[in-house]
């Protein structure tokens, strides 16, 4: 399962550090992993990852890629972290408040 999240254009971009701190505050052991091909947030002890679009450490969008069965215990804390940062979700029907 994937969930696409983003900040509205009217909001300032968030730092990747802010996102990681928000996840940790929700009890998710998150770590920024910067690779040549992009930025990821790894969740310790889980296969679920967050692919985060960034430019100079700032971000406006991310895709949460849940590993099979892990959404049961990770979806609420991850979505809560992004909601508290003012992010929105996007699906085939458009934008929605997290």
């Amino acid at each position: 399962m994937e969930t696409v999240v983003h900040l509205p254009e009217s909001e300032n971009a968030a730092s990747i550090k802010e996102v990681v701190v928000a996840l940790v505050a929700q009890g998710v052991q998150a770590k920024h992993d910067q690779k040549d091909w992009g930025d990821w947030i790894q969740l310790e002890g889980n296969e679920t990852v967050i692919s985060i679009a960034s430019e100079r450490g700032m971000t406006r969008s991310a895709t949460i890629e849940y590993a099979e069965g892990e959404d049961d215990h990770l979806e609420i804390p991850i979505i809560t972290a992004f909601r508290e940062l003012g992010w929105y979700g996007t699906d085939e029907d458009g934008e929605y408040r997290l």
Side-chain angles (χ1 to χ4, degrees), residues 7-83:
L7 273 170
E9 289 298 320
S10 60
E11 300 291 327
N12 292 329
S15 72
I16 293 175
K17 184 177 180 176
E18 286 176 283
V19 174
V20 170
V21 168
L23 289 163
V24 170
Q26 292 302 315
V28 178
Q29 295 306 309
K31 178 184 167 197
H32 178 213
D33 189 11
Q34 188 174 10
K35 301 286 188 192
D36 290 339
W37 60 88
D39 288 282
W40 298 86
I41 296 176
Q42 303 288 335
L43 308 177
E44 187 177 312
N46 296 283
E47 293 181 32
T48 296
V49 295
I50 301 170
S51 170
I52 193 152
S54 72
E55 186 174 321
R56 294 184 304 278
M58 302 302 284
T59 183
R60 304 189 68 74
S61 64
T63 301
I64 305 159
E65 301 173 22
Y66 295 101
E68 190 171 330
E70 290 185 351
D71 56 330
D72 294 343
H73 67 280
L74 290 175
E75 185 175 22
I76 291 173
I78 291 172
I79 295 300
T80 300
F82 281 103
R83 179 187 315 121

